[in-house]
Amino acid sequence: MSEFTLKYRKDNGGTAPLTNWGMDSEYGVLRDVLIGPVDNFSWRTGNASARRAERLGMQFDHKVAEMQHKEMLDAYRHAGVTTHLIPADSSLPYQIYGRDSSVMTPWGPIVTQMFSPWRRGEWAPIVKKYAELDIPIYDVITAGSLEGGDFMVLEPGVILCGYSGERTSPQGFAQMKSWVEKEGWEVKGYQFDPFFLHIDVMVAMLAEKLAAICVDAVEPELVQWFKSRNIEIIDIPFPQVLELGVNVVALGNDRVMLPKANTGLAEKCRAHGLEVIDPDISMITPGGGGVHCMCQPLRRESALKP
């Protein structure tokens, strides 16, 4: 059993990686995942996706969202992933997007700071859940905002973090970067327009050295950076970004979870030899988040070669 703490991080680096929890990539075999609850979910117009749904006259149905959430949980379990639910709080309608209130690293989770007023309380249930699971917290963001949808443990030794100045601020990014660089890892920052919510609506790792990117939505510099790391890119059309089509979860062993509506990326994944698991989450995505937004990996097998 680990000793629960709000600061496992060593100030000068050299923090020991956790043995039973943590991740060193976005694509190592997923064993445990933290999922946000659907109990109090409703669409809020604090992001472009939700405003678009309202403009198009779409109607939210909580019972449908509940069924789809259950289907997604069943899909994880059938893939051999143990699911852990964040405790529901009636004051927090966007808890379902469990990616954002914390981010997992090799050294434990970082508790983040949320940008939107209706999400700022999400830190409390997250801390309670980590205490329940005996997972020591690496540290807590105290400078500006940082949300998990902007943070990716891309591959061993490298973290990619986007910042728009809203959901993740330059100050929150800089604080996280200073911690991780002291551990000897590279942190790649990418600045983008707040219209895109988080970087995980434009970029996703599908497997080792394979990424899905909406090339039309990112700067050429980011595309070149991926290519410089010998990462193959599957280009995703811009209209699919509006449908959260790039928001996918690599399950490891050449398997990927993506929304059933995203048939275009599913075909491209299968063409690259990947197995596709595709729950229907069409009542959830208009709120502004897909399968990647709803999960925070707690444990992935190491992607480092033995």
Side-chain angles (χ1 to χ4, degrees):
M1 178 181 292
S2 303
E3 180 184 354
F4 181 74
T5 175
L6 287 173
K7 188 184 176 185
Y8 179 70
R9 179 180 69 87
K10 294 187 180 298
D11 287 340
N12 297 317
T15 309
L18 301 184
T19 54
N20 297 320
W21 306 97
M23 57 189 280
D24 63 12
S25 76
E26 281 277 315
Y27 51 81
V29 176
L30 183 61
R31 294 301 185 194
D32 289 78
V33 68
L34 188 63
I35 302 289
V38 70
D39 306 46
N40 306 297
F41 176 55
S42 61
W43 298 346
R44 292 294 177 102
T45 56
N47 62 68
S49 293
R51 287 192 292 271
R52 178 173 179 266
E54 184 179 61
R55 186 172 66 251
L56 295 176
M58 300 170 67
Q59 298 294 318
F60 177 69
D61 187 324
H62 192 269
K63 288 186 178 179
V64 174
E66 282 183 314
M67 289 188 295
Q68 293 180 352
H69 188 264
K70 182 178 183 299
E71 179 186 350
M72 181 188 68
L73 290 176
D74 288 343
Y76 275 116
R77 291 163 186 154
H78 287 144
V81 183
T82 301
T83 58
H84 306 264
L85 280 171
I86 299 169
D89 185 313
S90 61
S91 299
L92 300 171
Y94 261 34
Q95 270 188 299
I96 192 171
Y97 299 127
R99 165 75 48 166
D100 296 324
S101 49
S102 67
V103 296
M104 183 56 82
T105 75
W107 317 282
I110 297 173
V111 174
T112 63
Q113 291 291 346
M114 310 297 286
F115 170 73
S116 300
W118 56 86
R119 301 199 67 181
R120 288 179 188 159
E122 290 184 29
W123 67 270
I126 280 291
V127 169
K128 292 174 184 175
K129 189 65 180 181
Y130 285 129
E132 175 191 322
L133 294 171
D134 288 314
I135 303 177
I137 289 170
Y138 180 64
D139 212 331
V140 180
I141 292 294
T142 56
S145 56
L146 188 144
E147 296 189 2
D150 284 326
F151 181 98
M152 294 183 187
V153 184
L154 200 74
E155 55 186 7
V158 183
I159 283 171
L160 171 65
C161 187
Y163 58 99
S164 67
E166 287 189 358
R167 289 166 181 85
T168 296
S169 68
Q171 296 82 4
F173 167 74
Q175 186 177 42
M176 176 278 297
K177 184 175 188 284
S178 70
W179 297 342
V180 171
E181 287 182 339
K182 286 178 181 176
E183 308 294 352
W185 277 43
E186 175 187 351
V187 178
K188 167 65 177 175
Y190 175 70
Q191 192 169 13
F192 61 93
D193 189 277
F195 170 83
F196 291 105
L197 283 72
H198 295 123
I199 198 172
D200 67 357
V201 306
M202 300 177 283
V203 175
M205 289 299 289
L206 304 172
E208 185 175 4
K209 298 300 181 184
L210 180 65
I213 301 178
C214 178
V215 173
D216 286 342
V218 301
E219 299 295 337
E221 180 269 335
L222 184 64
V223 175
Q224 286 305 121
W225 182 80
F226 270 86
K227 290 180 177 178
S228 75
R229 303 198 64 85
N230 297 315
I231 296 173
E232 183 181 356
I233 294 171
I234 296 178
D235 189 9
I236 304 302
F238 182 79
Q240 290 185 16
V241 170
L242 302 178
E243 304 289 342
L244 280 301
V246 187
N247 198 262
V248 306
V249 178
L251 299 175
N253 286 340
D254 294 327
R255 300 168 301 157
V256 63
M257 181 182 290
L258 50 76
K260 183 174 287 291
N262 194 352
T263 55
L265 180 56
E267 290 174 5
K268 292 177 180 179
C269 286
R270 292 188 180 105
H272 279 76
L274 302 180
E275 177 187 349
V276 173
I277 298 169
D278 58 348
D280 181 4
I281 56 167
S282 56
M283 188 55 67
I284 298 172
T285 51
V291 289
H292 193 263
C293 298
M294 285 189 276
C295 79
Q296 183 56 245
L298 296 179
R299 182 166 65 101
R300 287 186 183 272
E301 292 182 6
S302 176
L304 290 169
K305 304 300 181 186

